[in-house]
Amino acid sequence: MADRPQHLAHLAHLEHLGDATKFSQQIHALIPRCNLLENFSPAEVRLLAHFMDVYQAPVGVEIIREGEGGDFMLMLVEGKVEVVKRDRWNTPQVIAVVETGKTLGEMSMIDGEPRFATCVAAEPTLIAVLDRENLARIIVEQPMLGAKILMELVLMLSQRLRATSGRLLQLMDEQSHRAANLL
Amino acid sequence: MADRPQHLAHLAHLEHLGDATKFSQQIHALIPRCNLLENFSPAEVRLLAHFMDVYQAPVGVEIIREGEGGDFMLMLVEGKVEVVKRDRWNTPQVIAVVETGKTLGEMSMIDGEPRFATCVAAEPTLIAVLDRENLARIIVEQPMLGAKILMELVLMLSQRLRATSGRLLQLMDEQSHRAANLL
């Protein structure tokens, strides 16, 4: 990791603590609450840590911003983050609070689309960042580790999609039920 | 593919046309309308086809059923499929119509959870099936192909999750707006 990736300019306002190698024990301790790492061995966590960078965010600081680019995901190594999205009246609404061990921003890492929501540190927060370029390097240099990460990402997205689709259909049902009652 | 996978018992009511190798040209022709294959070369399609099985479904036949197990995904090689889900009153509702080239069932292939919806052939339909065991074999035997498939799956799920989350939040906004108007 001699060169700092250019696009981590998005995180230039945070304190950069170097690559995640020296945090690999702390990251390994996240396994029980981290979907991404649930099937990782200590050796795999150390290997992955080589490809991640750690940043520190003070309370109240935006880590990622809705609508911005940024092809990286982050893992909460310490702290807590509020996920905020603007509603149709442009008012920021807290849509989730994310705890240590969780990951954020996987979708933009993969598809490069603008961020879906803003993440703000709700406590002093340490994040480990994996960007698309390093994910691509892992796939080439450590294909089994790459497949494992991708498999976990597919699993996580698939579970979120099930939950979100379920809620959407339920809400649509309720609406049509209400509409029927008004007829 | 000497042994037929046991769990393809789920598809025993369909005509099994063997592995997908002899359909690889037809599958390759799907690329312009198939997200999963969008970055595949003809050689990669042929390689993938070795790990897939093709089945034929007549009109009106259920291919996968909501709530059932089944750790495979399918690609529509020919034909059209209606996606049907039961609403809260247990009434089947068509929630999507899926055309040739599209894929279905990725979530259950990955997470093994029950199917989210039922798929019924709306035309005479040819499907190519990839199950979790063969995906695991691809990852071990052809890691770059495996990573490519997983990457495309992550991309597809991520796009669907964005779209679904967007619709959910919009609906929630509308509801809170209506509620506010009633106050």
Side-chain angles (χ1 to χ4, degrees), chain A residues 88 111 114 162 175 177-178, chain B residues 89 111 114 162 175 178:
Chain A
R88 61 202 315 214
D111 65 17
R162 273 182 200 278
Q175 284 204 338
H177 184 59
R178 251 200 308 277
Chain B
W89 302 280
D111 65 17
R162 273 182 199 279
Q175 286 204 338
R178 252 200 307 276

Side-chain angles (χ1 to χ4, degrees), chain A residues 85 87-89 107-108 110-111 113-114 116 139 143 147 154-155 157-158 162 165 169 173 175 177-178, chain B residues 85 87-89 107-108 110-111 114 116 139 143 147 150 154-155 157-158 162 165 169 173 175 177-178:
Chain A
K85 189 166 172 69
D87 66 17
R88 61 202 315 214
W89 303 280
M107 294 191 291
S108 292
I110 294 294
D111 65 17
E113 298 280 313
F116 186 77
I139 291 167
V154 176
L155 203 54
L157 289 172
S158 148
R162 273 182 200 278
S165 303
L169 288 174
D173 270 3
Q175 284 204 338
H177 184 59
R178 251 200 308 277
Chain B
K85 190 167 171 68
D87 66 15
R88 60 201 316 213
W89 302 280
M107 293 191 293
S108 292
I110 294 294
D111 65 17
F116 186 76
I139 291 167
L150 289 172
V154 176
L155 203 54
L157 289 173
S158 149
R162 273 182 199 279
S165 303
L169 287 174
D173 270 3
Q175 286 204 338
H177 184 59
R178 252 200 307 276

Side-chain angles (χ1 to χ4, degrees), chain A residues 169, chain B residues 33 35 59 63 74 76 78-85 93-104 117-125 160 167:
Chain A
L169 288 174
Chain B
R33 19 187 190 164
N35 290 335
V59 178
I63 300 171
L74 49 95
L76 283 191
E78 229 177 82
K80 193 187 278 187
V81 155
E82 278 184 353
V83 182
V84 179
K85 190 167 171 68
Q93 304 283 358
V94 176
I95 58 171
V97 176
V98 173
E99 311 272 344
T100 306
K102 300 301 172 208
T103 49
L104 287 164
T118 294
C119 295
V120 180
E123 288 177 4
T125 293
R160 283 191 217 162
R167 272 155 58 197

Side-chain angles (χ1 to χ4, degrees), chain A:
Chain A
M1 309 278 99
D3 302 323
R4 293 272 57 81
Q6 288 274 330
H7 49 272
L8 290 191
H10 282 284
L11 298 173
H13 60 298
L14 306 184
E15 192 184 351
H16 182 215
L17 305 182
D19 87 36
T21 319
K22 57 182 173 295
F23 295 88
S24 55
Q25 249 188 319
Q26 200 175 348
I27 294 174
H28 188 256
L30 300 176
I31 290 182
R33 20 188 188 163
C34 182
N35 289 334
L36 184 69
L37 299 177
E38 61 183 349
N39 298 307
F40 276 54
S41 67
E44 287 169 329
V45 171
R46 270 196 306 278
L47 202 51
L48 173 59
H50 277 284
F51 294 89
M52 298 180 97
D53 280 274
V54 175
Y55 290 82
Q56 190 159 35
V59 177
V61 165
E62 272 186 16
I63 299 171
I64 60 184
R65 181 180 293 183
E66 182 179 350
E68 272 194 358
D71 57 355
F72 57 88
M73 59 169 280
L74 49 95
M75 183 184 292
L76 285 191
V77 178
E78 228 177 83
K80 192 187 279 189
V81 155
E82 278 184 353
V83 182
V84 179
K85 189 166 172 69
R86 291 183 178 271
D87 66 17
R88 61 202 315 214
W89 303 280
N90 212 27
T91 309
Q93 304 283 358
V94 176
I95 58 172
V97 176
V98 174
E99 311 272 344
T100 306
K102 300 302 172 208
T103 50
L104 286 164
E106 304 89 344
M107 294 191 291
S108 292
M109 172 179 70
I110 294 294
D111 65 17
E113 298 280 313
R115 300 293 187 186
F116 186 77
T118 294
C119 294
V120 181
E123 288 177 3
T125 292
L126 274 189
I127 58 170
V129 169
L130 177 66
D131 61 46
R132 200 189 316 164
E133 200 182 315
N134 277 335
L135 176 61
R137 283 184 52 205
I138 294 173
I139 291 167
V140 174
E141 296 172 19
Q142 305 283 347
M144 290 309 293
L145 180 66
K148 203 157 188 175
I149 295 170
L150 289 171
M151 197 66 144
E152 295 296 342
L153 286 174
V154 176
L155 203 54
M156 283 161 55
L157 289 172
S158 148
Q159 283 163 350
R160 283 191 216 163
L161 184 57
R162 273 182 200 278
T164 308
S165 303
R167 271 154 60 197
L168 178 63
L169 288 174
Q170 193 186 5
L171 219 58
M172 288 167 72
D173 270 3
E174 284 167 15
Q175 284 204 338
S176 62
H177 184 59
R178 251 200 308 277
N181 283 346
L182 293 172
L183 289 180

Side-chain angles (χ1 to χ4, degrees), chain B residues 24-35:
Chain B
S24 55
Q25 250 188 318
Q26 199 175 346
I27 294 174
H28 188 255
L30 300 177
I31 289 182
R33 19 187 190 164
C34 182
N35 290 335

